Amino acid sequence: MDMSGRVSGLGIELLNQSNYKIWRTCMESYLVGEDLWEVVCGNAVVAPEDAQENADVLKVWRMKNAKAEFLLKRSISPDLFEHIIGCKSTSEIWTTLDGLFNKKNMARLQMLENELANTTQGSLSISQFFFKIKNLCSEISLLDPEEPISEARMKRHIIRGLKREYIPYICYVDSRVGSTTIFGGV
């Protein structure tokens, strides 16, 4: 890991409380590309039987499993490591992380809703701020598919969180174009 919170050499951001969907997509692609996916979630998640005739196959499986395990462990933030410390295989690590982040968890949903409500542009660029809001809305919608965040609600959060210096511009653009603007009359 380098100082920017990325996995060295991969350009993948460390898994943290708010980027599971992006991390999972990138990590899955990387594991497939490195021919390690089969030991994580494919047909080879269980080690071959430890018999003399399987010695070479077992050796290859152990090597692939160890590479994938190291990669997964090095790609998560330290505060999440305690969740996977007892896992015995890469398949178990993947399943544990998926269960941790990819279920309807009311406490996590509330945390994300609070983060969305309190997110402001601050020192972020406009594009960084837009992406942060969009990612939060997307993750909330994944956790609660019965009540996904509408585009209009997402736009209201964006406008509400922008620096004050942008508000006159937004009002001007919205008044010139009317309710057909990207701000939806907000």
Side-chain angles (χ1 to χ4, degrees), residues 165-179:
E165 63 196 58
Y166 295 111
I167 301 303
Y169 175 73
I170 292 168
C171 292
Y172 173 75
V173 169
D174 203 36
S175 69
R176 297 285 294 163
V177 183
S179 64

Side-chain angles (χ1 to χ4, degrees), residues 17-135:
Q17 294 292 335
S18 63
N19 69 347
Y20 177 72
K21 189 172 84 170
I22 294 167
W23 176 88
R24 179 190 166 127
T25 300
C26 293
M27 187 55 66
E28 184 175 334
S29 296
Y30 185 80
L31 290 166
V32 168
E34 292 295 313
D35 195 27
L36 300 172
W37 184 246
E38 288 298 310
V39 297
V40 177
C41 283
N43 296 326
V45 294
V46 178
E49 190 176 307
D50 193 5
Q52 186 62 26
E53 63 271 8
N54 290 340
D56 290 339
V57 175
L58 182 59
K59 182 178 178 180
V60 169
W61 183 89
R62 285 183 176 149
M63 182 183 68
K64 285 184 173 187
N65 188 69
K67 283 181 180 180
E69 184 176 341
F70 178 76
L71 182 63
L72 290 174
K73 287 179 177 178
R74 293 292 294 157
S75 69
I76 66 171
S77 62
D79 57 322
L80 296 175
F81 201 82
E82 68 185 60
H83 296 283
I84 61 148
I85 195 77
C87 294
K88 305 290 186 220
S89 69
T90 57
S91 177
E92 191 178 346
I93 291 170
W94 191 265
T95 303
T96 300
L97 292 173
D98 195 55
L100 186 63
F101 290 105
N102 212 17
K103 63 181 180 180
K104 186 170 181 177
N105 179 327
M106 294 309 289
R108 177 151 174 73
L109 182 60
Q110 186 60 54
M111 181 193 75
L112 291 168
E113 288 278 3
N114 290 344
E115 186 177 350
L116 178 63
N118 295 314
T119 297
T120 60
Q121 183 181 358
S123 63
L124 299 173
S125 71
I126 288 179
S127 63
Q128 289 171 326
F129 175 63
F130 285 176
F131 284 125
K132 183 172 185 174
I133 294 291
K134 186 172 173 113
N135 286 339

